[in-house]
Amino acid sequence: MHRTILHLDLDAFFCAVEEQRNPALRGKPFAVGGRPDSRGVVSSCSYPARRFGIHSAMPMARAIRLCPDLIIIEPHFGEYRRASREVMARLGALTPLVEQISIDEAFLDVTGLPGTPLAIAQGLQATIRDELGLPCSFGVATNKLVAKIANNVGKASAKGDGPPNAIQVVPPGEEAAFLAPLPIEELWGVGPKTAARLRQLGVQTIGDLARWPERELARMFGKHGADLARRARGIDERPVETEHETKSVSKEITFARDVADGDTLRQTLGSLVEGVGWRLRRSGLSGNTVKIKLRWSDFTTVTRQMTLPQAIDQDTEILEAALQLFEQTWPRGRPVRLIGVGVSGLEEAGRQLGLWETERNSQSRRLQLTLDELRDRFGEGVIRRGVNLKPRRH
Amino acid sequence: MRASVLQENLARGLSIVSRAVDSRPTLPVLANVLLATEDSRLKLSATNLELSITTYIGAKVEKAGAITLPAKTFAELVNNLSPERVDLALDPATQTVNVRCGTTNSNIKGISASEFPMIPQGGENDVTMPGRLLRDMINQTVFAAAKEDNRPILTGVYTEFDGDVVTMAAADGYRLAVRTARLENHSFDKPLDMVIPARSLAEVARIIDDDDEEVGITLPGERDVVMFRTEYTEITSQLLEGRFPDFSAIIPKTYSTATTVYTTDLLRACKRAEIFARDSANSARLFVKPPNSPGEPGEIMVIGRSAERGDNEGMIDASVEGEPLEASFNIRYLIDVLNVIPDERVVLESNGPSHPGVLRPDGRDDFITVIMPMSITR
C-alpha cells in the first residue's frame, strides 16, 4: 500500500505573525530581519515586498535599494516559536506521525486516515487559518521528496498578491511524470556544482536525469549518483521521523563590527550560552562536550572543544567551560568577527547528582528553572541574567 | 660500574620502577631509570618527581658505579633476554652500558647519574601495617578518586591517623569510599592527616606481595612526602596540597529502604545491565520490591537499556527492609564497589531516588561507600 505524506509550509511565516501583532502592516511591503547598517539579512518578507524582487536571505541593504519604502521589522523569535508550537499542536491532534523540520515546515504521515488526502490538507489549512489566523500551503504525495517539491510548485503557481494558500496533490503513480518537467535544481541533493556538471551532460530537467541509467550516474557521481537516479524517478522511502535526533545545540553571532574587547566577547559568550542552555533543557538533553568557535577578521575560523566528565545542562556550567576555552584560544586584542558556542555529546539520560550539591547549587538550579519558564511563556528575550546585559550607554 | 644480575630479577625490578616513568617526561633524564650499585645489590630507581619508586635486586658487584638508562629501551631489551646471567659494564667515557647475556651483546647509551634528581629515601618507619590490610584499604578507596584534575585535591586519597585508627577516603564528586582499620601496634597521640595522590597509592598496592607481612610507612615530617617500604621496594610520594572536603556529613545516617543481597549475584546483574547501559551514560535503573508478605523474599531488579541495542533485566532475590524503591545509578559506580567487596553479602541503603545511596558489605562498619544517583525526572 502506498503512503500519504503531507508537507506543510507556513506562508511567509514571520511576516504573518508580525501582521497579527500589527495589523497596519497588512498589504504593505515589509521585511523581517536585521538592520541594513549591521550586515542584516532578510529573514522573511511580505508578499507585497516580493513583487520588488526581494527574497529571504538577501542582504537588507540590497532589499532597501530594490524598495526604498520597505518597512523593516526586528524579529520577535519568541512569538514565532510560540505560533509554531501552536501549529504543530494542531498537526499533532490529527496524527502523532509529525516530523517538524524547521520552525515553519513539517511532514505528516496521514496514511490510512479517513477522507481523501486533499480533504485532509484542506481541513488542516482551514483549522490553522481559523484558529491561528495563519496562511499555509500543502504538498501531498506518496513520499517526502515529492510532497515537498509539490508544495514548492503549488506555491509558485499560486495567483494573486496575497499568500498562496496552495494545496498541490500528486496522485500515486504520477510522481515521475510530475517531476519530469521541473529543472534539476528542484531535486534535493542538486547544488550548483552538481547542476553545472549535469548541464554539461545536457541534463536540464528532472525528466532528463531520470532517463540516465542509474549505473552511469553512479559511475560519474558515486553513491550520490545512485541516489539522484532514484530521486529523479520520484522514489523516496525515508519515513516520517517523529523524533528528530539532535546531535548538538549551538548558537553563534556575527558582529556588526569586529570586536577586540575581551569583556564584550565574554559577555557575548554569556548570552549565547543562555540560548544554548535553554534549548538543551527544553529538549530534556544534557551534553558532555562544550565547543567554541571564533572567526577572525580574515574569515579564518578556529574551533576548540573540551569534554567534561559528566554531561551538563546548566548555563553556569556551560559558560565556565566556554570561558576556559575562550581564554585558551583568544589572543588578547585580536578582533573577532564571529563568536559561537555549542554543546554536543548529548544524552537524554538523567543527570548525575553530585555529592556536594549544596543548597546553593540547587538554588541556582531553581533560578534556572524559573528563568526557563519565563522564556517558555514569553520568548527567549524576555529575561536575562544581569551579567549578560549590555551596559547601557548614557 | 661492573655488575652481574639474573635476568628474571632485573626484568621484575624494571617492571616495578618503570611505573614511575611518565610517558612524556618533562626532563630527558626522567625517561631514564637509575642503576646504582650498593654493597652486593643493584638499586633501580625511577621518578616523575611526584612519585618515585626504588627497588633492590641481588647482584655480584665487581666495580661500584651508577648510570641512568632509557627505561623503555632497557626494559624492552631485558624482557627479551634469555633467563640467564646478565653482565652490565659501564664505559664512563661514553656513558654507555654494555649489556651481555649469553650470546647477545648490546650497548645502551645513558645519561650521567649525577643528572638524576635526588629522591628522598630512607628514614625510620613511623608506623607499620600488615601488607594485605594496607593493600585492601587502598584498593577499596582509590577507585573513587577523581581521574581528571579539575579539582586536584579529589585525585588524592585522604589518609588520617588518629589514635589507633587509620582512615582512607576518596571521592570524585559523585561517589565516596571510606575505609577504616585499627592499628595493632601503634597509637597516635595527635591526629595526623594528609592527601596522597591516588596514583601513588595504586602503585603501593601493586608492589605489596602476599608474602609482604609488614609495610613500613614514613610519615611526612620535615619533608613533605610520605614513604612506603616493603622488603625490597620503596615508594616515595609527594602530597597534594589543599583541604579535602568534609565527607563525614554526606554519609547518610538513616535509610528508608535497605536491601541485602549476595555480592556476586548483584555484581553479575550489574555487569549484564552495563552492557546495555553504556549507551546512556551508564545509567541503569534499580527497582527494589519488599516482600508481599512476611517470610517471603523481596527482590531487586537491575535494568540496563540501550535505544539502539536492546536491554537487560535481572531479578535477584533480596532481603528488603522498608519502602519500595526505584532509582537510577551510574552502573559503573556500583560495579567498582562490588569488585572490591570480598564479603558474601552487601547492603544497599537508600532514602529515595534523589538521595545518596549507601553500598557496603553486610555486617561490617569499617567500609562504606556513598553513591549519588542519577536523576530520573528532570
Side-chain angles (χ1 to χ4, degrees), chain A residues 90-113:
Chain A
R90 300 303 186 281
L91 305 183
L94 184 70
T95 170
L97 299 178
V98 177
E99 176 181 349
Q100 181 170 1
I101 47 181
S102 70
I103 195 162
D104 58 355
E105 261 184 285
F107 285 114
L108 291 84
D109 187 335
V110 297
T111 310
L113 291 188

Side-chain angles (χ1 to χ4, degrees), chain A residues 126-140:
Chain A
T127 305
I128 293 168
R129 183 187 58 229
D130 298 345
E131 295 182 15
L132 304 172
L134 295 170
C136 62
S137 295
F138 284 92
V140 183

Side-chain angles (χ1 to χ4, degrees), chain B residues 299-321:
Chain B
E299 54 196 36
I300 178 167
M301 184 146 68
V302 185
I303 301 179
R305 235 181 257 295
S306 156
E308 289 85 39
R309 293 186 294 122
D311 56 39
N312 165 268
E313 292 185 4
M315 180 103 82
I316 313 166
D317 279 349
S319 148
V320 180
E321 184 195 325

Side-chain angles (χ1 to χ4, degrees), chain A residues 41-350:
Chain A
V41 294
V42 175
S43 298
S44 173
C45 59
S46 68
Y47 287 93
R50 291 181 194 203
R51 278 203 307 259
F52 292 90
I54 297 170
H55 54 77
S56 52
M58 174 184 280
M60 196 59 89
R62 188 149 161 247
I64 301 261
R65 279 203 298 280
L66 290 171
C67 171
D69 294 332
L70 188 73
I71 303 165
I72 300 170
I73 308 285
E74 274 197 51
H76 299 89
F77 288 110
E79 294 291 317
Y80 310 150
R81 261 190 296 272
R82 206 164 51 138
S84 172
R85 274 205 296 279
E86 291 290 329
V87 172
M88 297 304 152
R90 300 303 186 281
L91 305 183
L94 184 70
T95 170
L97 299 178
V98 177
E99 176 181 349
Q100 181 170 1
I101 47 181
S102 70
I103 195 162
D104 58 355
E105 261 184 285
F107 285 114
L108 291 84
D109 187 335
V110 297
T111 310
L113 291 188
T116 64
L118 177 64
I120 293 173
Q122 284 169 336
L124 281 173
Q125 199 176 48
T127 305
I128 293 168
R129 183 187 58 229
D130 298 345
E131 295 182 15
L132 304 172
L134 295 170
C136 62
S137 295
F138 284 92
V140 183
T142 57
N143 61 50
K144 297 207 289 195
L145 170 78
V146 181
K148 170 146 171 112
I149 296 176
N151 207 355
N152 293 346
V153 171
K155 287 175 87 152
S157 55
K159 306 265 183 318
D161 294 341
N165 278 309
I167 297 179
Q168 177 77 44
V169 181
V170 179
E174 291 180 25
E175 295 83 3
F178 173 78
L179 297 181
L182 301 175
I184 42 174
E185 282 89 348
E186 283 283 334
L187 216 53
W188 281 356
V190 179
K193 273 199 187 136
T194 311
R197 280 186 69 189
L198 287 170
R199 289 241 153 71
Q200 279 175 357
L201 300 167
V203 174
Q204 306 284 346
T205 65
I206 299 180
D208 294 342
L209 187 59
R211 277 188 290 278
W212 276 74
E214 183 174 333
R215 255 197 319 191
E216 277 292 291
L217 288 171
R219 196 177 55 75
M220 286 184 288
F221 296 96
K223 190 186 173 303
H224 182 51
D227 290 342
L228 282 181
R230 292 173 59 76
R231 286 184 206 146
R233 292 173 178 80
I235 301 168
D236 173 23
E237 275 144 13
R238 291 167 307 154
V240 168
E241 283 170 43
T242 49
E243 272 173 58
H244 215 71
E245 205 184 309
T246 317
K247 293 259 187 316
S248 75
V249 173
S250 60
K251 269 195 112 156
E252 57 186 45
I253 185 170
T254 305
F255 293 114
R257 277 191 199 84
D258 296 350
V259 172
D261 172 51
D263 285 341
T264 311
L265 290 168
R266 285 181 201 101
Q267 207 162 54
T268 309
L269 265 184
S271 53
L272 291 172
V273 162
E274 283 197 339
V276 168
W278 182 52
R279 274 197 273 165
L280 271 181
R281 292 184 299 274
R282 279 175 44 100
S283 327
L285 296 169
S286 51
N288 68 354
T289 303
V290 175
K291 186 169 97 172
I292 66 157
K293 178 170 163 185
L294 293 172
R295 180 168 296 153
W296 315 120
S297 313
D298 62 359
F299 280 83
T300 56
T301 308
V302 293
T303 61
R304 292 284 180 277
Q305 65 176 50
M306 69 192 286
T307 299
L308 305 156
Q310 290 290 338
I312 56 173
D313 69 350
Q314 298 288 299
D315 291 354
T316 47
E317 297 166 325
I318 303 168
L319 184 60
E320 192 186 1
L323 284 175
Q324 204 177 322
L325 289 168
F326 174 75
E327 302 303 343
Q328 287 164 12
T329 315
W330 183 62
R332 189 172 299 274
R334 178 154 188 185
V336 172
R337 178 182 165 83
L338 171 150
I339 187 165
V341 62
V343 176
S344 59
L346 302 182
E347 53 191 42
E348 272 185 66

Side-chain angles (χ1 to χ4, degrees), chain B residues 144-211:
Chain B
K147 309 290 179 288
E148 290 83 12
D149 50 4
N150 39 13
R151 271 187 86 184
I153 196 76
L154 295 184
T155 62
V157 175
Y158 174 84
T159 307
E160 180 195 76
F161 296 91
D162 187 3
D164 63 349
V165 176
V166 53
T167 302
M168 285 191 168
D172 63 3
Y174 309 104
R175 51 178 165 169
L176 162 76
V178 186
R179 171 70 207 266
T180 57
R182 226 164 257 285
L183 297 169
E184 277 167 12
N185 49 16
H186 202 98
S187 184
F188 286 77
D189 305 333
K190 268 200 325 206
L192 175 85
D193 64 70
M194 62 196 138
V195 181
I196 307 170
R199 234 212 98 195
S200 303
L201 283 179
E203 294 308 327
V204 173
R206 204 170 272 122
I207 61 157
I208 298 174
D209 276 335
D210 282 340
D211 335 327

